[in-house]
Amino acid sequence: MVAGGAVAARAEQIPVRVVVVTTFEIGKDTGDTPGEFQTWVEKLPLRQELPAPGTWHGVMRYNPDLQVLGIASGEGPEHMASAITALVLDPRFDLRRAYFVLAGIAGIDPNFGSVGGAVWAPRIVNGGLAHAVDAREIPSDWPDGYTPVQGSTPTDSPVPPLHSLSGDMEYTLNPALVAWAYNLTRSVTLPDTPALKAIRARYVGYPQAQKPPAVLLGDTLSSETFWVGARMNRWAERWVGYWTGGKGTFATTAEEDVGLMQALTLQAQAGRVNPDRVLVLRTASNFDMPPPGETAAQLLKSEASEGGYSGYLPAVAAAYQVGSVVVRELALHWDRYGEHTPGTPPAQGR
Protein backbone atom coordinates (compact mmCIF):
# COMPACT_ATOMS: atom_id res chain seq x y z
CA MET A 1 0.00 0.00 0.00
CA VAL A 2 2.77 2.45 0.84
CA ALA A 3 4.63 1.78 -2.41
CA GLY A 4 1.45 2.12 -4.46
CA GLY A 5 0.60 5.37 -2.72
CA ALA A 6 4.03 6.76 -3.48
CA VAL A 7 3.61 5.88 -7.17
CA ALA A 8 0.21 7.56 -7.22
CA ALA A 9 1.63 10.70 -5.59
CA ARG A 10 4.39 10.91 -8.18
CA ALA A 11 1.86 10.44 -10.99
CA GLU A 12 -0.16 13.38 -9.71
CA GLN A 13 2.81 15.73 -9.67
CA ILE A 14 2.75 18.70 -12.04
CA PRO A 15 5.90 18.77 -14.19
CA VAL A 16 7.84 22.04 -14.11
CA ARG A 17 10.72 22.96 -16.37
CA VAL A 18 10.93 26.68 -15.54
CA VAL A 19 9.59 28.77 -12.65
CA VAL A 20 9.01 32.40 -13.62
CA VAL A 21 9.29 34.48 -10.46
CA THR A 22 7.72 37.94 -10.34
CA THR A 23 7.21 40.08 -7.27
CA PHE A 24 3.88 41.90 -7.57
CA GLU A 25 0.63 42.37 -9.39
CA ILE A 26 -1.35 45.60 -9.08
CA GLY A 27 -4.90 44.31 -9.59
CA LYS A 28 -6.16 41.31 -11.48
CA ASP A 29 -3.88 38.89 -13.29
CA THR A 30 -5.39 39.89 -16.63
CA GLY A 31 -7.17 42.77 -18.29
CA ASP A 32 -6.09 45.80 -16.28
CA THR A 33 -2.95 47.83 -15.61
CA PRO A 34 -0.16 45.27 -15.60
CA GLY A 35 2.18 44.51 -12.75
CA GLU A 36 5.15 42.22 -13.27
CA PHE A 37 3.00 39.07 -13.31
CA GLN A 38 0.25 40.05 -15.76
CA THR A 39 2.37 40.28 -18.90
CA TRP A 40 3.58 36.70 -18.41
CA VAL A 41 0.04 35.47 -17.73
CA GLU A 42 -1.33 37.07 -20.88
CA LYS A 43 1.54 36.62 -23.33
CA LEU A 44 3.42 33.40 -22.54
CA PRO A 45 0.59 32.57 -21.70
CA LEU A 46 -0.06 31.13 -18.24
CA ARG A 47 -3.77 30.36 -18.50
CA GLN A 48 -4.17 27.58 -15.93
CA GLU A 49 -4.73 28.83 -12.38
CA LEU A 50 -3.41 26.81 -9.44
CA PRO A 51 -3.84 27.51 -5.72
CA ALA A 52 -0.69 28.78 -4.02
CA PRO A 53 -1.22 28.21 -0.29
CA GLY A 54 1.10 30.06 2.04
CA THR A 55 1.89 32.85 -0.45
CA TRP A 56 0.91 36.52 -0.68
CA HIS A 57 -0.77 36.27 -4.07
CA GLY A 58 -2.62 33.05 -3.29
CA VAL A 59 -2.56 31.69 -6.83
CA MET A 60 0.02 30.51 -9.34
CA ARG A 61 -0.32 30.23 -13.11
CA TYR A 62 0.78 27.35 -15.34
CA ASN A 63 1.34 26.53 -19.00
CA PRO A 64 1.02 22.74 -19.39
CA ASP A 65 2.46 22.71 -22.92
CA LEU A 66 5.66 24.52 -21.94
CA GLN A 67 5.56 23.17 -18.36
CA VAL A 68 6.26 26.68 -17.08
CA LEU A 69 4.98 27.79 -13.68
CA GLY A 70 4.60 31.46 -12.75
CA ILE A 71 4.28 33.04 -9.32
CA ALA A 72 3.94 36.51 -7.84
CA SER A 73 5.77 36.44 -4.53
CA GLY A 74 4.70 39.74 -3.02
CA GLU A 75 7.08 42.63 -2.51
CA GLY A 76 10.03 42.50 -0.15
CA PRO A 77 12.54 39.78 0.73
CA GLU A 78 10.28 38.28 3.41
CA HIS A 79 7.40 37.72 0.99
CA MET A 80 9.84 36.31 -1.55
CA ALA A 81 11.50 33.89 0.87
CA SER A 82 8.12 32.71 2.18
CA ALA A 83 6.65 32.20 -1.29
CA ILE A 84 9.67 30.32 -2.65
CA THR A 85 9.85 28.09 0.43
CA ALA A 86 6.13 27.30 0.17
CA LEU A 87 6.55 26.50 -3.52
CA VAL A 88 9.55 24.24 -3.11
CA LEU A 89 7.88 22.31 -0.28
CA ASP A 90 4.61 21.92 -2.20
CA PRO A 91 4.17 18.16 -2.88
CA ARG A 92 2.63 18.88 -6.29
CA PHE A 93 6.03 19.83 -7.70
CA ASP A 94 9.42 18.22 -8.09
CA LEU A 95 11.75 21.16 -8.74
CA ARG A 96 15.11 19.42 -8.58
CA ARG A 97 15.76 20.05 -12.27
CA ALA A 98 13.70 23.24 -12.67
CA TYR A 99 15.18 26.58 -13.66
CA PHE A 100 14.18 29.71 -11.72
CA VAL A 101 14.03 33.01 -13.61
CA LEU A 102 13.27 36.12 -11.57
CA ALA A 103 11.99 38.85 -13.91
CA GLY A 104 11.19 42.14 -12.21
CA ILE A 105 11.59 45.89 -12.39
CA ALA A 106 14.24 47.88 -10.54
CA GLY A 107 15.97 51.21 -10.14
CA ILE A 108 19.11 51.72 -12.21
CA ASP A 109 22.37 53.58 -11.57
CA PRO A 110 22.69 56.36 -14.18
CA ASN A 111 26.43 55.69 -14.15
CA PHE A 112 25.62 52.21 -15.50
CA GLY A 113 22.64 52.29 -17.83
CA SER A 114 19.31 53.76 -18.85
CA VAL A 115 15.62 53.42 -18.04
CA GLY A 116 13.84 50.78 -20.07
CA GLY A 117 16.97 48.61 -20.15
CA ALA A 118 17.29 44.99 -19.01
CA VAL A 119 20.12 43.69 -16.82
CA TRP A 120 21.13 40.09 -16.12
CA ALA A 121 22.75 39.86 -12.68
CA PRO A 122 25.96 37.87 -12.15
CA ARG A 123 25.75 38.64 -8.42
CA ILE A 124 23.23 39.59 -5.74
CA VAL A 125 24.52 41.82 -2.93
CA ASN A 126 22.62 42.34 0.32
CA GLY A 127 22.11 46.06 0.85
CA GLY A 128 19.82 45.73 3.85
CA LEU A 129 22.11 44.13 6.42
CA ALA A 130 24.53 46.66 7.93
CA HIS A 131 25.41 48.90 10.81
CA ALA A 132 24.19 52.44 10.08
CA VAL A 133 25.27 55.73 11.63
CA ASP A 134 22.95 58.74 11.40
CA ALA A 135 24.06 61.11 8.65
CA ARG A 136 24.61 63.88 11.21
CA GLU A 137 27.09 61.72 13.13
CA ILE A 138 29.16 60.14 10.35
CA PRO A 139 32.90 60.52 11.07
CA SER A 140 34.56 62.96 8.69
CA ASP A 141 36.93 60.32 7.29
CA TRP A 142 34.15 57.84 6.41
CA PRO A 143 32.75 57.72 2.85
CA ASP A 144 29.22 57.11 4.22
CA GLY A 145 27.47 55.85 7.37
CA TYR A 146 27.32 52.15 6.57
CA THR A 147 29.62 49.45 7.92
CA PRO A 148 29.48 45.65 7.74
CA VAL A 149 27.26 44.28 10.49
CA GLN A 150 30.31 42.16 11.45
CA GLY A 151 32.57 45.25 11.59
CA SER A 152 32.91 48.81 12.78
CA THR A 153 34.21 50.87 9.83
CA PRO A 154 33.00 51.13 6.22
CA THR A 155 36.19 49.61 4.85
CA ASP A 156 36.99 46.90 7.39
CA SER A 157 39.69 44.60 6.07
CA PRO A 158 39.71 41.72 5.51
CA VAL A 159 36.15 41.64 4.24
CA PRO A 160 33.99 39.61 6.67
CA PRO A 161 32.62 36.21 5.57
CA LEU A 162 29.92 36.49 2.92
CA HIS A 163 27.80 33.91 4.78
CA SER A 164 27.81 33.74 8.56
CA LEU A 165 25.64 33.79 11.67
CA SER A 166 25.16 37.51 10.98
CA GLY A 167 23.56 36.88 7.59
CA ASP A 168 24.19 36.47 3.88
CA MET A 169 25.90 39.33 2.07
CA GLU A 170 26.55 38.13 -1.48
CA TYR A 171 25.50 35.40 -3.87
CA THR A 172 27.27 34.63 -7.13
CA LEU A 173 25.00 33.02 -9.69
CA ASN A 174 26.21 30.31 -12.06
CA PRO A 175 28.55 32.36 -14.32
CA ALA A 176 28.14 30.04 -17.29
CA LEU A 177 24.33 30.14 -17.13
CA VAL A 178 24.27 33.94 -16.73
CA ALA A 179 26.62 34.37 -19.69
CA TRP A 180 24.46 32.01 -21.76
CA ALA A 181 21.27 33.98 -20.96
CA TYR A 182 22.98 37.28 -21.73
CA ASN A 183 24.41 36.08 -25.03
CA LEU A 184 21.03 34.66 -26.01
CA THR A 185 19.32 38.02 -25.45
CA ARG A 186 21.97 40.70 -25.90
CA SER A 187 20.74 41.54 -29.41
CA VAL A 188 17.10 41.96 -28.40
CA THR A 189 15.95 45.42 -29.46
CA LEU A 190 14.06 47.10 -26.65
CA PRO A 191 11.44 49.80 -27.35
CA ASP A 192 12.63 53.38 -27.12
CA THR A 193 9.76 55.79 -26.62
CA PRO A 194 9.61 59.61 -26.66
CA ALA A 195 8.95 59.49 -22.92
CA LEU A 196 12.13 57.45 -22.28
CA LYS A 197 14.13 59.83 -24.45
CA ALA A 198 12.82 62.79 -22.47
CA ILE A 199 13.68 61.12 -19.16
CA ARG A 200 17.27 60.31 -20.03
CA ALA A 201 17.89 63.65 -21.74
CA ARG A 202 17.73 65.25 -18.29
CA TYR A 203 20.77 63.26 -17.12
CA VAL A 204 23.36 65.60 -18.59
CA GLY A 205 26.86 64.42 -17.72
CA TYR A 206 25.82 60.77 -17.42
CA PRO A 207 26.68 59.20 -20.79
CA GLN A 208 25.45 55.71 -19.88
CA ALA A 209 22.10 57.10 -18.76
CA GLN A 210 21.62 58.88 -22.07
CA LYS A 211 21.96 55.72 -24.17
CA PRO A 212 18.87 53.91 -25.51
CA PRO A 213 17.61 50.87 -23.55
CA ALA A 214 19.76 47.77 -24.00
CA VAL A 215 20.35 44.31 -22.54
CA LEU A 216 23.32 44.44 -20.16
CA LEU A 217 25.22 42.53 -17.46
CA GLY A 218 25.47 44.04 -13.98
CA ASP A 219 25.00 43.28 -10.30
CA THR A 220 21.86 43.84 -8.27
CA LEU A 221 21.78 45.37 -4.79
CA SER A 222 18.92 43.91 -2.77
CA SER A 223 17.57 46.16 -0.03
CA GLU A 224 14.17 46.42 1.60
CA THR A 225 14.73 50.16 2.11
CA PHE A 226 13.66 52.19 -0.93
CA TRP A 227 16.54 54.65 -1.02
CA VAL A 228 17.14 57.48 -3.51
CA GLY A 229 19.75 60.14 -4.16
CA ALA A 230 23.29 60.72 -5.38
CA ARG A 231 24.91 60.06 -2.01
CA MET A 232 23.04 56.80 -1.53
CA ASN A 233 24.00 55.85 -5.07
CA ARG A 234 27.67 56.37 -4.22
CA TRP A 235 27.18 54.16 -1.17
CA ALA A 236 25.58 51.46 -3.34
CA GLU A 237 28.48 51.52 -5.78
CA ARG A 238 30.96 51.26 -2.91
CA TRP A 239 28.96 48.55 -1.09
CA VAL A 240 28.80 46.30 -4.15
CA GLY A 241 32.50 46.80 -4.78
CA TYR A 242 33.34 46.05 -1.15
CA TRP A 243 31.40 42.79 -0.90
CA THR A 244 32.57 41.51 -4.30
CA GLY A 245 36.24 42.28 -3.78
CA GLY A 246 36.15 44.89 -6.53
CA LYS A 247 34.82 42.39 -9.09
CA GLY A 248 31.21 43.55 -9.07
CA THR A 249 29.53 46.46 -10.82
CA PHE A 250 26.49 48.04 -9.23
CA ALA A 251 23.75 48.23 -11.84
CA THR A 252 20.27 47.87 -10.37
CA THR A 253 18.58 48.13 -7.00
CA ALA A 254 15.57 46.07 -5.94
CA GLU A 255 14.12 44.41 -2.86
CA GLU A 256 13.49 40.71 -3.22
CA ASP A 257 16.58 39.11 -4.74
CA VAL A 258 18.37 38.25 -1.52
CA GLY A 259 15.20 36.57 -0.20
CA LEU A 260 15.03 34.45 -3.36
CA MET A 261 18.64 33.37 -3.01
CA GLN A 262 18.41 32.65 0.71
CA ALA A 263 15.35 30.43 0.24
CA LEU A 264 16.75 28.55 -2.76
CA THR A 265 20.17 28.09 -1.17
CA LEU A 266 18.71 26.56 1.96
CA GLN A 267 16.35 24.31 0.00
CA ALA A 268 19.29 23.24 -2.18
CA GLN A 269 20.97 21.92 0.95
CA ALA A 270 18.07 19.49 1.21
CA GLY A 271 18.42 18.53 -2.46
CA ARG A 272 15.08 20.06 -3.48
CA VAL A 273 16.40 22.58 -6.05
CA ASN A 274 19.54 23.15 -8.09
CA PRO A 275 21.22 26.47 -7.13
CA ASP A 276 23.11 26.48 -10.44
CA ARG A 277 19.82 26.93 -12.30
CA VAL A 278 18.88 30.40 -11.09
CA LEU A 279 18.75 33.60 -13.16
CA VAL A 280 17.88 37.15 -12.11
CA LEU A 281 16.74 39.72 -14.68
CA ARG A 282 16.01 43.27 -13.56
CA THR A 283 14.60 45.91 -15.90
CA ALA A 284 14.96 49.62 -15.20
CA SER A 285 11.74 51.45 -14.35
CA ASN A 286 13.48 54.50 -12.90
CA PHE A 287 16.84 56.02 -12.05
CA ASP A 288 17.93 55.68 -8.42
CA MET A 289 19.05 59.32 -8.21
CA PRO A 290 17.71 62.57 -9.66
CA PRO A 291 19.11 64.42 -12.66
CA PRO A 292 21.27 67.52 -12.14
CA GLY A 293 19.29 70.35 -10.58
CA GLU A 294 16.74 68.15 -8.83
CA THR A 295 16.78 66.92 -5.24
CA ALA A 296 16.39 63.38 -3.98
CA ALA A 297 13.18 64.40 -2.18
CA GLN A 298 11.71 65.72 -5.42
CA LEU A 299 12.49 62.46 -7.20
CA LEU A 300 10.95 60.42 -4.39
CA LYS A 301 7.78 62.53 -4.47
CA SER A 302 7.39 62.11 -8.22
CA GLU A 303 7.77 58.34 -8.07
CA ALA A 304 6.06 57.42 -4.81
CA SER A 305 3.56 54.97 -6.35
CA GLU A 306 4.08 51.72 -8.30
CA GLY A 307 2.70 53.18 -11.52
CA GLY A 308 4.57 56.45 -11.13
CA TYR A 309 8.05 55.19 -11.94
CA SER A 310 9.36 57.09 -14.93
CA GLY A 311 9.88 54.04 -17.12
CA TYR A 312 7.41 51.68 -15.48
CA LEU A 313 5.46 50.28 -18.44
CA PRO A 314 8.51 49.91 -20.72
CA ALA A 315 10.33 48.09 -17.89
CA VAL A 316 7.43 45.69 -17.33
CA ALA A 317 7.34 44.99 -21.06
CA ALA A 318 11.12 44.51 -21.24
CA ALA A 319 11.09 41.97 -18.40
CA TYR A 320 8.82 39.76 -20.47
CA GLN A 321 10.42 40.55 -23.84
CA VAL A 322 13.90 39.56 -22.67
CA GLY A 323 13.01 36.97 -20.03
CA SER A 324 10.64 35.03 -22.26
CA VAL A 325 13.41 34.38 -24.79
CA VAL A 326 15.30 32.43 -22.13
CA VAL A 327 12.21 30.76 -20.66
CA ARG A 328 11.01 29.56 -24.04
CA GLU A 329 14.45 28.32 -25.04
CA LEU A 330 14.72 26.25 -21.88
CA ALA A 331 11.16 24.91 -22.03
CA LEU A 332 11.03 24.12 -25.74
CA HIS A 333 14.38 22.33 -25.78
CA TRP A 334 14.03 20.34 -22.58
CA ASP A 335 15.67 17.37 -24.25
CA ARG A 336 18.80 19.51 -24.33
CA TYR A 337 18.53 21.40 -21.04
CA GLY A 338 16.73 18.99 -18.73
CA GLU A 339 19.88 17.10 -17.83
CA HIS A 340 22.48 19.60 -19.00
CA THR A 341 22.62 23.19 -17.72
CA PRO A 342 23.35 25.53 -20.64
CA GLY A 343 26.73 27.20 -20.77
CA THR A 344 28.47 24.42 -18.88
CA PRO A 345 30.40 21.58 -20.52
CA PRO A 346 28.58 18.24 -20.56
CA ALA A 347 29.63 15.72 -17.94
CA GLN A 348 32.26 13.32 -19.21
CA GLY A 349 31.54 9.61 -18.90
CA ARG A 350 34.04 7.40 -17.19
Side-chain angles (χ1 to χ4, degrees):
M1 292 294 291
V2 174
V7 171
R10 286 196 295 272
E12 293 170 1
Q13 282 192 328
I14 300 170
V16 178
R17 297 173 178 175
V18 184
V19 179
V20 175
V21 182
T22 66
T23 71
F24 72 92
E25 188 50 59
I26 295 174
K28 299 178 180 179
D29 287 352
T30 60
D32 57 7
T33 301
E36 292 174 353
F37 194 39
Q38 181 169 309
T39 307
W40 290 90
V41 172
E42 293 179 340
K43 290 189 175 183
L44 192 63
L46 298 169
R47 292 196 179 98
Q48 184 176 342
E49 189 172 298
L50 301 172
T55 71
W56 166 82
H57 196 55
V59 295
M60 296 177 282
R61 294 283 189 144
Y62 183 66
N63 181 313
D65 297 321
L66 294 174
Q67 296 183 10
V68 173
L69 183 70
I71 68 169
S73 67
E75 293 193 49
E78 296 91 351
H79 274 145
M80 176 62 76
S82 296
I84 293 298
T85 301
L87 170 64
V88 175
L89 295 179
D90 192 316
R92 291 173 294 175
F93 310 109
D94 180 349
L95 301 176
R96 288 175 294 177
R97 294 197 301 162
Y99 293 85
F100 290 78
V101 180
L102 189 160
I105 65 173
I108 195 165
D109 180 355
N111 291 311
F112 176 85
S114 187
V115 285
V119 187
W120 293 104
R123 303 171 189 84
I124 310 300
V125 176
N126 190 342
L129 183 61
H131 286 147
V133 174
D134 187 283
R136 293 161 293 187
E137 300 177 299
I138 298 173
S140 59
D141 60 343
W142 284 17
D144 50 63
Y146 291 85
T147 83
V149 75
Q150 310 97 318
S152 60
T153 71
T155 56
D156 273 2
S157 183
V159 176
L162 299 181
H163 305 281
S164 70
L165 177 65
S166 298
D168 302 295
M169 296 308 305
E170 188 267 353
Y171 292 92
T172 297
L173 304 184
N174 180 348
L177 180 62
V178 174
W180 172 83
Y182 170 66
N183 288 325
L184 189 66
T185 58
R186 63 190 302 177
S187 299
V188 172
T189 300
L190 298 176
D192 190 12
T193 67
L196 291 178
K197 293 176 181 178
I199 293 164
R200 66 177 186 259
R202 299 161 61 201
Y203 283 77
V204 177
Y206 294 87
Q208 300 306 315
Q210 295 191 318
K211 292 181 178 180
V215 180
L216 303 168
L217 274 173
D219 299 317
T220 289
L221 183 69
S222 178
S223 170
E224 193 171 15
T225 299
F226 189 118
W227 54 266
V228 296
R231 293 187 179 187
M232 290 300 298
N233 186 74
R234 286 197 295 271
W235 158 75
E237 292 174 341
R238 180 188 73 79
W239 197 251
V240 169
Y242 178 79
W243 287 107
T244 63
K247 298 177 182 178
T249 300
F250 169 58
T252 59
T253 173
E255 293 182 78
E256 298 81 11
D257 308 47
V258 72
L260 171 75
M261 296 309 301
Q262 285 173 328
L264 289 177
T265 299
L266 291 173
Q267 293 304 317
Q269 293 177 11
R272 299 185 181 108
V273 296
N274 185 344
D276 287 333
R277 293 189 166 194
V278 183
L279 289 165
V280 171
L281 176 70
R282 285 292 183 175
T283 55
S285 61
N286 58 293
F287 288 113
D288 65 11
M289 57 177 279
E294 188 175 310
T295 67
Q298 288 171 321
L299 176 64
L300 183 61
K301 182 179 180 180
S302 69
E303 300 189 341
S305 64
E306 291 286 10
Y309 299 158
S310 51
Y312 172 74
L313 289 177
V316 168
Y320 175 78
Q321 184 180 354
V322 176
S324 63
V325 173
V326 168
V327 170
R328 286 186 177 277
E329 174 68 17
L330 292 168
L332 290 172
H333 299 96
W334 193 244
D335 57 332
R336 186 184 311 165
Y337 304 123
E339 295 295 335
H340 174 61
T341 303
T344 59
Q348 299 296 316
R350 294 185 179 181

